[in-house]
């Protein structure tokens, strides 16, 4: 869907991104991680031409982006930026409606969509529709930014540290929400984060950048289990690759489905890493597993989990 071929960007003669080759397949969730200043935000902004590249080629849906009108491009691409970037003199509702309004949706459809998104992101429309950005907390502003990016149902979503200002609870809820949106609608998503765990949780493909270059790209499992260099190993935490690998699998993948047991139970879609914590906290060696409707569907054995890592 999005393809970088030998792309470079220079600021005052210094490269922000150098010879970048990258492929974000249609429907995939690609996560860019890397050190501060490694060129992640620049890479994202080149996709919707907020920043123009100096060398190489960027293709969007098979077409060179320099041959596409930037406004048209941006209508097909939702974008939530690192610094939120809400329009300060516009209400929350109007901010969210930015792109639908550009697309001249009928008023009723816009209003309904704004309410739908406010609900989706945990806001009471009656309380928040008419507020201004300065009347929101940082995390609330960030969530409105995400709502704005989703508003016109874009084919592609670019998100630059969209959950950075959120507390761990809201953050986890938002991560689940974005993963659900991705799975339901098969959108192509490119997300930037500093948070290694967030990257591993969300990504189909992880791209690790340093100093304007791609150091390694692949599935989370590949980067954890076959790091291409000591830098990659260090970035993903050299002490706990086993525990991190556990966060890539769910209880359902390791349980013994023919068995049942008494006592504490966990949902089937819990990660094995979370299950490990539960084992440690409760001091048990087996946990019952429940399916989406809360019915017992198997048993997770501590030993099987250790074997998995
Ligand atoms: N408008 C600009 N003018 C000059 N230099 C810039 C500009 N924007 C970015 N840079 C430089 O380009 C490099 C890459 O910046 P970029 O914002 O892409 O990094 P990043 O990976 O997103 O970092 P962070 O994780 O801190 O957000 C940095 O060295 C930065 O100083
Ligand atoms: Mg950045």
């Amino acid at each position: 869907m999005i393809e970088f071929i030998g792309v470079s960007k220079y600021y005052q003669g210094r490269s922000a991104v150098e010879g970048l080759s990258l492929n974000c397949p249609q429907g995939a969730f690609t996560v860019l991680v890397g050190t501060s200043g490694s060129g992640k935000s620049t890479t994202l902004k080149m996709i919707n031409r907020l920043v123009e590249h100096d060398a190489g080629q960027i293709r969007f849906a098979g077409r060179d982006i320099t041959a596409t009108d930037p406004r048209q491009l941006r209508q097909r691409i939702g974008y939530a930026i690192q610094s939120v970037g809400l329009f300060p003199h516009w209400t929350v509702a109007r901010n969210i409606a930015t792109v639908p309004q550009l697309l001249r949706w009928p008023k009723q459809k816009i209003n309904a969509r704004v309410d739908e998104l406010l609900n989706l992101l945990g806001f009471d429309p009656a309380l928040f529709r008419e507020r201004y950005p300065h009347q929101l907390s940082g995390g609330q502003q960030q969530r409105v930014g995400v709502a704005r990016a989703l508003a016109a149902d874009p084919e592609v979503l670019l998100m630059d540290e969209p959950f950075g200002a959120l507390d761990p609870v809201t953050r986890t809820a938002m991560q689940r929400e974005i993963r659900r949106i991705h799975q339901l609608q098969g959108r192509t998503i490119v997300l930037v984060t500093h948070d290694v765990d967030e990257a591993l949780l969300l990504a189909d493909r992880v791209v690790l950048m340093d100093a304007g270059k791609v150091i390694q790209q692949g599935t989370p499992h590949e980067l954890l289990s076959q790091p291409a260099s000591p830098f990659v190993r260090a970035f993903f935490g050299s002490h706990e690759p086993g525990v991190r690998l556990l966060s890539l699998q769910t209880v359902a993948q390791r349980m013994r489905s023919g068995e049942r047991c008494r006592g504490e139970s966990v949902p089937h879609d819990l990660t094995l890493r979370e299950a490990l914590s539960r084992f440690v906290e409760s001091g048990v060696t087996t946990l019952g597993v429940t399916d989406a409707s809360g019915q017992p569907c198997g048993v997770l054995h501590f030993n099987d989990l250790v074997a998995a890592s």
Side-chain angles (χ1 to χ4, degrees), residues 35-57:
T35 45
S36 183
S38 57
K40 305 180 297 294
S41 296
T42 304
T43 300
L44 219 57
K45 287 179 196 159
M46 289 191 292
I47 297 173
N48 62 4
R49 296 186 65 184
L50 283 176
V51 165
E52 299 281 359
H53 57 286
D54 296 316
Q57 195 185 47

Side-chain angles (χ1 to χ4, degrees), residues 65-189:
I65 59 164
T66 56
T68 314
D69 173 33
R71 285 187 57 166
Q72 252 180 20
L73 201 63
R74 280 170 217 155
Q75 286 170 2
R76 298 174 65 182
I77 302 178
Y79 180 48
I81 58 174
Q82 191 167 4
S83 53
V84 186
L86 298 178
F87 302 113
H89 303 300
W90 288 7
T91 62
V92 163
R94 192 165 170 208
N95 265 289
I96 295 176
T98 307
V99 176
Q101 233 148 26
L102 278 175
L103 295 173
R104 300 184 191 289
W105 285 16
K107 210 169 169 191
Q108 262 190 337
K109 185 175 168 191
I110 293 182
N111 282 335
R113 180 67 177 152
V114 166
D115 286 352
E116 182 188 338
L117 284 163
L118 282 171
N119 281 318
L120 183 72
L121 295 172
F123 291 110
D124 178 353
L127 284 177
F128 284 92
R129 261 185 153 272
E130 301 308 318
R131 286 209 200 170
Y132 288 89
H134 75 269
Q135 298 168 318
L136 303 174
S137 73
Q140 288 169 339
Q141 291 185 27
Q142 211 164 35
R143 280 185 284 151
V144 172
V146 172
R148 182 174 62 181
L150 290 170
D153 238 334
E155 297 159 63
V156 172
L157 265 178
L158 308 178
M159 313 184 100
D160 198 343
E161 304 196 28
F163 313 132
L166 303 178
D167 65 273
V169 175
T170 314
R171 191 183 179 106
T172 304
M174 292 289 291
Q175 288 168 345
R176 277 177 184 268
E177 195 49 48
I178 201 75
R179 211 160 54 149
R180 199 179 64 87
I181 289 169
H182 176 247
Q183 284 166 355
L184 269 183
Q185 304 173 338
R187 281 219 195 84
T188 307
I189 300 181

Side-chain angles (χ1 to χ4, degrees), residues 251-252 265-271 278 288-291:
V251 167
S265 64
V266 294
H268 68 115
D269 58 352
L270 200 72
T271 67
R278 294 289 278 274
V289 182
T290 52
D291 63 17

